[in-house]
Amino acid sequence: MHHPFQCVQLIANENYSDDGILLAASGPQLYSFSSRNGSMLHKWWPEKSGSGLIPSVEVGAPQPNVRTDSQDAAPLQDREESHPEKRRKVSLSLTPDSVNRPGTEAGLSQPEQDLSTHIDRLPYFTGLAATSTGSHAVTITGENKCLRVFAIEHFGQLRLLSERIMPKRPCALAITADDSTILCGDKFGDVYSLPLVTIVDRATSTDLEQINPATQTVFRPAADEGTVHTARNQRALQNQRQTASKAIRKRITEPSCQLLLGHVSLLTDLAAVSFDGHGSRSPSKGNFIITSDRDEHIRVSRGLPQTHVIEGYCLGHKEFVSRICVPPWQQTSLISGGGDSMLILWDWTLFRILQVHDLHEQLAHCVDLEIRKDNDAAPQDSENCIGRNDDSIPPEEFNSASLTAVDDLRRPKPERKPENENNRNVSGIWAMEISDPTSNTSQRRGDIFVALEGVPILFAFHLDDANGLQFDQALPLKGNVLDVATHKVQRSLFVSVDNIHARLSTIQVRDRAAEGETLLQSFYLAPDVEHSEWIEHPSSETDPVSVINKHGSFELRDEALATLHTKLYTLENLRKQANEE
């Protein structure tokens, strides 16, 4: 079975004159596909890193056949007498020898076998973002706390520009409107800013060699060769000079990581907003950073350089807030969701709730409709139905938390559980403008797409100034929703689905013989329809989604299937237990 795409992003790149490029992260690999014909343009994995391989042993341990600048300059005796570096475990990575070894299993090269075997120990992409021009992409991997910046070049080629180690494990990612600054939030509640492109990315190797430490202001030892006589003190003087020289070069070449703001709780999501003040009764305008955390808080802070100023809070959720979204056609609106299954529409400039939608009730209603459809259809035709023909569980007794598979709808009615166990976590909120951006502001409208963790339904809402947030339709899928990529120009969607676990389950693995593999599904907006109606693209051999599904990602071994759910479904870990209240 192929590994699913946990992150997808659709971009329009000036270096690629096609309809667009679909970036897809599958485990530790990053792919670029053509959105027109589905052909794979490039595939990146850690072995192709321009800065070298990530070591497969602890940092600080002796590295065979690896020498650093300090090792070349300092005598062996100095290295033995120096204090050992702090050891830190990092993820497993493939060695150069494994790339050259022939595969021992039919159809798989040795690197692919290593990926499928050690998938639970490899750095796993948890976030993906791209600039508005499509020239750069930014990814984060949580286990090794690494933030990577890629340049998207001609024909969708991915070139790694930089790898930056964050102070703590990153969990949220955003890029400012001017495409110059990266905002990265971590598990400890802090938000940092980093430049998108550093001096190293712009400079050549010759430019870096011309950096003269002697011209930089830095600490210089007061002692010299005339005042130091013993061999031990001479070695100490030499080490001080080398440390000062390396500090200058590090300060010049390495990107700065500036702390902007912090939460006292675990940060879950962030959004960068550039607000001109139009359409709001609030006097606030400018750049803002909106963040959410595990303690049901949504904070509105000023943007750079006044991020220490807190404008206010949006309070109303009863559980953690997992996702927030600011639609581009309504700058004053904020849509949030979390562990209470509530979708809330805010006026974040006034910190006021405008509308509340209960997604749990909506999910129960959708399952009820699917059961009724199945009653009218042939009993054996259940491919596109979420529920099956069975009246053992009435719709009013539907309990989404008790579902572990599609077949659970056929089981006897379970005992009713506490109310908080009926909730499904909001795993994603995406916005796509449907109206012409140049039209009158009062006439601009768009759709909001919402996904629940472990649910094979994508909920579509309509958002405009006249009616607010209104539910339109539920799109049934062949697997649980993982991520969504929107194409505003073509008015289409690419939905990444879980092909490993059973629908309505985050643990149970599918029977590979009973169900086919679908990694992506695509939908388009029906033309000449007053209200939004999304229809799935018909499948064909030349359809880009069919081509991508046929190509797949990389094969997963059975040993890796048992722990894959810990990578794909992590939001339930945010829910507080009774002793944490």
Side-chain angles (χ1 to χ4, degrees):
M1 302 178 74
H2 285 88
H3 192 287
F5 297 123
Q6 72 269 17
C7 300
V8 291
Q9 184 84 21
L10 192 60
I11 61 174
N13 184 266
E14 57 185 7
N15 294 324
Y16 188 68
S17 59
D18 215 326
D19 295 332
I21 297 175
L22 178 67
L23 297 179
S26 177
Q29 292 184 333
L30 184 63
Y31 297 80
S32 64
F33 297 97
S34 169
S35 64
R36 181 178 61 85
N37 53 30
S39 61
M40 188 179 70
L41 305 176
H42 193 242
K43 178 173 68 174
W44 182 93
W45 56 33
E47 289 77 17
K48 295 184 178 180
S49 169
S51 59
L53 297 175
I54 300 175
S56 57
V57 295
E58 295 180 352
V59 174
Q63 303 289 326
N65 300 327
V66 177
R67 297 182 64 85
T68 62
D69 295 339
S70 59
Q71 288 176 330
D72 291 335
L76 178 61
Q77 184 178 0
D78 291 347
R79 300 201 301 270
E80 293 176 351
E81 293 179 358
S82 61
H83 294 286
E85 297 181 5
K86 179 181 178 181
R87 292 172 177 251
R88 178 173 61 88
K89 288 186 177 181
V90 296
S91 300
L92 176 72
S93 181
L94 307 182
T95 62
D97 294 337
S98 66
V99 179
N100 299 324
R101 291 199 306 264
T104 58
E105 184 174 326
L108 288 178
S109 64
Q110 185 62 39
E112 291 173 332
Q113 290 188 49
D114 292 342
L115 282 172
S116 60
T117 304
H118 303 290
I119 184 64
D120 56 332
R121 298 176 58 193
L122 288 169
Y124 198 86
F125 286 114
T126 57
L128 173 63
T131 59
S132 58
T133 59
S135 59
H136 295 82
V138 183
T139 64
I140 52 176
T141 50
E143 187 178 352
N144 59 353
K145 302 185 291 187
C146 185
L147 183 147
R148 293 183 175 93
V149 179
F150 294 86
I152 305 176
E153 300 180 334
H154 296 282
F155 304 105
Q157 297 296 304
L158 301 173
R159 180 171 63 91
L160 181 64
L161 293 181
S162 61
E163 290 179 327
R164 316 176 194 180
I165 303 301
M166 303 301 297
K168 301 297 181 182
R169 177 176 293 205
C171 62
L173 188 64
I175 301 177
T176 56
D178 58 0
D179 290 340
S180 64
T181 305
I182 303 170
L183 301 179
C184 182
D186 62 28
K187 292 283 188 179
F188 275 63
D190 296 330
V191 177
Y192 296 88
S193 68
L194 304 93
L196 178 69
V197 181
T198 67
I199 185 174
V200 177
D201 303 332
R202 299 188 183 98
T204 63
S205 58
T206 305
D207 296 332
L208 295 179
E209 291 175 358
Q210 292 177 352
I211 296 177
N212 184 12
T215 62
Q216 305 295 324
T217 302
V218 74
F219 166 76
R220 297 182 182 279
D224 55 28
E225 287 78 359
T227 59
V228 174
H229 304 286
T230 64
R232 182 175 180 178
N233 289 343
Q234 288 179 354
R235 290 196 301 268
L237 177 61
Q238 183 182 7
N239 290 336
Q240 290 181 5
R241 290 175 174 173
Q242 290 174 358
T243 302
S245 178
K246 291 172 63 177
I248 296 174
R249 189 174 298 273
K250 179 178 180 180
R251 186 183 63 188
I252 297 176
T253 58
E254 287 194 356
S256 59
C257 182
Q258 180 183 0
L259 177 63
L260 300 182
L261 56 91
H263 286 240
V264 295
S265 179
L266 191 150
L267 189 138
T268 56
D269 201 5
L270 65 89
V273 183
S274 181
F275 180 53
D276 57 9
H278 182 78
S280 174
R281 288 178 292 178
S282 172
S284 301
K285 64 179 180 179
N287 295 324
F288 296 88
I289 299 177
I290 305 178
T291 52
S292 60
D293 63 22
R294 189 190 181 197
D295 286 342
E296 308 94 38
H297 298 153
I298 300 177
R299 181 199 292 182
V300 180
S301 306
R302 291 186 185 178
L304 292 167
Q306 295 179 317
T307 54
H308 60 280
V309 178
I310 301 176
E311 291 287 334
Y313 290 87
C314 297
L315 304 177
H317 282 280
K318 299 179 181 179
E319 288 283 353
F320 61 88
V321 183
S322 55
R323 295 293 180 265
I324 56 177
C325 176
V326 178
W329 64 93
Q330 282 193 9
Q331 294 181 318
T332 62
S333 298
L334 171 69
I335 303 162
S336 64
D340 53 7
S341 299
M342 294 295 180
L343 190 70
I344 301 182
L345 174 65
W346 306 81
D347 185 338
W348 64 267
T349 62
L350 300 175
F351 319 108
R352 186 177 64 184
I353 296 178
L354 302 180
Q355 284 180 289
V356 179
H357 291 265
D358 190 345
L359 295 176
H360 180 265
E361 293 182 359
Q362 193 63 56
L363 175 61
H365 178 66
C366 292
V367 173
D368 180 25
L369 293 179
E370 291 295 336
I371 293 176
R372 294 182 182 180
K373 284 183 182 179
D374 201 22
N375 290 336
D376 298 334
Q380 67 276 10
D381 185 15
S382 59
E383 178 66 22
N384 295 323
C385 297
I386 298 174
R388 296 184 180 179
N389 188 8
D390 200 329
D391 296 327
S392 60
I393 301 181
E396 61 271 13
E397 299 294 336
F398 174 75
N399 185 341
S400 64
S402 67
L403 295 177
T404 57
V406 179
D407 289 337
D408 282 354
L409 290 173
R410 305 174 65 93
R411 298 179 181 177
K413 183 178 69 175
E415 297 181 1
R416 182 175 295 276
K417 296 185 178 182
E419 182 181 357
N420 61 347
E421 295 190 19
N422 292 333
N423 298 325
R424 285 278 184 168
N425 307 321
V426 175
S427 59
I429 304 176
W430 302 270
M432 185 176 73
E433 185 172 4
I434 296 176
S435 60
D436 185 0
T438 61
S439 61
N440 191 326
T441 304
S442 61
Q443 299 175 353
R444 296 178 66 178
R445 61 189 183 93
D447 277 6
I448 303 296
F449 303 96
V450 182
L452 298 177
E453 189 175 52
V455 174
I457 299 176
L458 186 65
F459 299 96
F461 291 81
H462 181 77
L463 178 64
D464 58 21
D465 288 334
N467 303 312
L469 188 65
Q470 300 295 328
F471 175 76
D472 272 347
Q473 66 182 122
L475 306 179
L477 302 168
K478 298 179 181 180
N480 302 330
V481 183
L482 296 180
D483 202 0
V484 174
T486 61
H487 199 307
K488 184 175 66 173
V489 177
Q490 294 187 352
R491 295 186 177 183
S492 61
L493 297 173
F494 287 87
V495 184
S496 172
V497 298
D498 183 3
N499 61 302
I500 301 297
H501 300 93
R503 292 184 294 176
L504 288 172
S505 173
T506 60
I507 299 178
Q508 181 178 347
V509 178
R510 295 188 183 194
D511 183 1
R512 67 177 68 190
E515 303 185 44
E517 283 197 297
T518 300
L519 303 179
L520 286 176
Q521 291 182 253
S522 63
F523 297 82
Y524 68 95
L525 184 65
D528 301 329
V529 177
E530 182 178 356
H531 298 286
S532 303
E533 182 179 353
W534 293 92
I535 302 174
E536 185 173 4
H537 275 104
S539 178
S540 64
E541 294 183 358
T542 59
D543 179 57
V545 170
S546 300
V547 174
I548 296 176
N549 288 332
K550 183 178 179 180
H551 177 272
S553 55
F554 63 91
E555 286 284 347
L556 275 175
R557 293 189 177 185
D558 294 338
E559 310 88 82
L561 297 178
T563 59
L564 184 60
H565 69 279
T566 62
K567 304 285 188 178
L568 299 180
Y569 305 106
T570 60
L571 293 179
E572 190 61 29
N573 298 329
L574 299 175
R575 193 175 303 279
K576 295 181 180 179
Q577 304 301 320
N579 57 355
E580 295 183 86
E581 297 293 342

mmCIF file of all heavy atoms in Angstrom, residues 200 202-211 249:
data_model
loop_
_atom_site.group_PDB
_atom_site.id
_atom_site.type_symbol
_atom_site.label_atom_id
_atom_site.label_comp_id
_atom_site.label_asym_id
_atom_site.label_seq_id
_atom_site.Cartn_x
_atom_site.Cartn_y
_atom_site.Cartn_z
ATOM 1 N N VAL A 200 22.926 33.678 2.549
ATOM 2 C CA VAL A 200 23.562 32.482 2.001
ATOM 3 C C VAL A 200 22.861 32.051 0.720
ATOM 4 O O VAL A 200 23.480 31.593 -0.230
ATOM 5 C CB VAL A 200 23.540 31.350 3.046
ATOM 6 C CG1 VAL A 200 24.129 30.073 2.477
ATOM 7 C CG2 VAL A 200 24.303 31.775 4.276
ATOM 8 N N ARG A 202 21.394 33.939 -1.432
ATOM 9 C CA ARG A 202 21.676 34.857 -2.530
ATOM 10 C C ARG A 202 23.140 34.826 -2.948
ATOM 11 O O ARG A 202 23.476 35.086 -4.104
ATOM 12 C CB ARG A 202 21.320 36.297 -2.117
ATOM 13 C CG ARG A 202 19.851 36.511 -1.770
ATOM 14 C CD ARG A 202 19.590 37.995 -1.586
ATOM 15 N NE ARG A 202 18.220 38.263 -1.190
ATOM 16 C CZ ARG A 202 17.850 38.474 0.060
ATOM 17 N NH1 ARG A 202 18.750 38.452 1.016
ATOM 18 N NH2 ARG A 202 16.589 38.702 0.349
ATOM 19 N N ALA A 203 24.038 34.537 -2.002
ATOM 20 C CA ALA A 203 25.464 34.638 -2.273
ATOM 21 C C ALA A 203 26.005 33.358 -2.886
ATOM 22 O O ALA A 203 25.447 32.278 -2.717
ATOM 23 C CB ALA A 203 26.222 34.949 -0.983
ATOM 24 N N THR A 204 27.095 33.489 -3.578
ATOM 25 C CA THR A 204 27.812 32.337 -4.112
ATOM 26 C C THR A 204 28.885 31.899 -3.126
ATOM 27 O O THR A 204 29.161 32.569 -2.130
ATOM 28 C CB THR A 204 28.463 32.691 -5.464
ATOM 29 O OG1 THR A 204 29.437 33.722 -5.250
ATOM 30 C CG2 THR A 204 27.417 33.184 -6.452
ATOM 31 N N SER A 205 29.507 30.774 -3.396
ATOM 32 C CA SER A 205 30.570 30.302 -2.510
ATOM 33 C C SER A 205 31.743 31.279 -2.483
ATOM 34 O O SER A 205 32.400 31.459 -1.466
ATOM 35 C CB SER A 205 31.045 28.922 -2.980
ATOM 36 O OG SER A 205 31.507 28.978 -4.316
ATOM 37 N N THR A 206 32.002 31.944 -3.603
ATOM 38 C CA THR A 206 33.086 32.927 -3.639
ATOM 39 C C THR A 206 32.776 34.109 -2.734
ATOM 40 O O THR A 206 33.651 34.632 -2.035
ATOM 41 C CB THR A 206 33.319 33.414 -5.072
ATOM 42 O OG1 THR A 206 33.560 32.282 -5.901
ATOM 43 C CG2 THR A 206 34.494 34.372 -5.138
ATOM 44 N N ASP A 207 31.501 34.527 -2.716
ATOM 45 C CA ASP A 207 31.115 35.640 -1.859
ATOM 46 C C ASP A 207 31.322 35.300 -0.390
ATOM 47 O O ASP A 207 31.789 36.133 0.403
ATOM 48 C CB ASP A 207 29.653 36.011 -2.097
ATOM 49 C CG ASP A 207 29.424 36.515 -3.517
ATOM 50 O OD1 ASP A 207 30.379 37.064 -4.090
ATOM 51 O OD2 ASP A 207 28.318 36.335 -4.040
ATOM 52 N N LEU A 208 30.993 34.075 -0.009
ATOM 53 C CA LEU A 208 31.146 33.683 1.383
ATOM 54 C C LEU A 208 32.610 33.576 1.774
ATOM 55 O O LEU A 208 32.980 33.861 2.909
ATOM 56 C CB LEU A 208 30.437 32.344 1.622
ATOM 57 C CG LEU A 208 28.916 32.369 1.445
ATOM 58 C CD1 LEU A 208 28.347 30.981 1.674
ATOM 59 C CD2 LEU A 208 28.273 33.370 2.383
ATOM 60 N N GLU A 209 33.457 33.151 0.843
ATOM 61 C CA GLU A 209 34.870 33.049 1.143
ATOM 62 C C GLU A 209 35.512 34.418 1.342
ATOM 63 O O GLU A 209 36.536 34.548 2.010
ATOM 64 C CB GLU A 209 35.589 32.297 0.018
ATOM 65 C CG GLU A 209 35.218 30.816 -0.044
ATOM 66 C CD GLU A 209 35.847 30.142 -1.240
ATOM 67 O OE1 GLU A 209 36.529 30.856 -2.030
ATOM 68 O OE2 GLU A 209 35.675 28.933 -1.414
ATOM 69 N N GLN A 210 34.907 35.454 0.763
ATOM 70 C CA GLN A 210 35.478 36.790 0.868
ATOM 71 C C GLN A 210 35.097 37.501 2.162
ATOM 72 O O GLN A 210 35.526 38.628 2.394
ATOM 73 C CB GLN A 210 35.005 37.639 -0.322
ATOM 74 C CG GLN A 210 35.591 37.156 -1.649
ATOM 75 C CD GLN A 210 35.062 37.961 -2.811
ATOM 76 O OE1 GLN A 210 34.157 38.780 -2.650
ATOM 77 N NE2 GLN A 210 35.614 37.728 -3.991
ATOM 78 N N ILE A 211 34.266 36.847 2.984
ATOM 79 C CA ILE A 211 33.928 37.455 4.275
ATOM 80 C C ILE A 211 35.165 37.471 5.150
ATOM 81 O O ILE A 211 35.753 36.434 5.436
ATOM 82 C CB ILE A 211 32.788 36.671 4.953
ATOM 83 C CG1 ILE A 211 31.512 36.756 4.110
ATOM 84 C CG2 ILE A 211 32.541 37.189 6.362
ATOM 85 C CD1 ILE A 211 30.364 35.952 4.667
ATOM 86 N N ARG A 249 31.453 34.465 11.292
ATOM 87 C CA ARG A 249 30.905 33.847 10.081
ATOM 88 C C ARG A 249 29.482 33.335 10.308
ATOM 89 O O ARG A 249 28.625 33.439 9.442
ATOM 90 C CB ARG A 249 31.815 32.702 9.639
ATOM 91 C CG ARG A 249 31.470 32.130 8.278
ATOM 92 C CD ARG A 249 32.507 31.105 7.865
ATOM 93 N NE ARG A 249 33.821 31.708 7.731
ATOM 94 C CZ ARG A 249 34.251 32.275 6.616
ATOM 95 N NH1 ARG A 249 33.471 32.329 5.555
ATOM 96 N NH2 ARG A 249 35.454 32.797 6.553
#
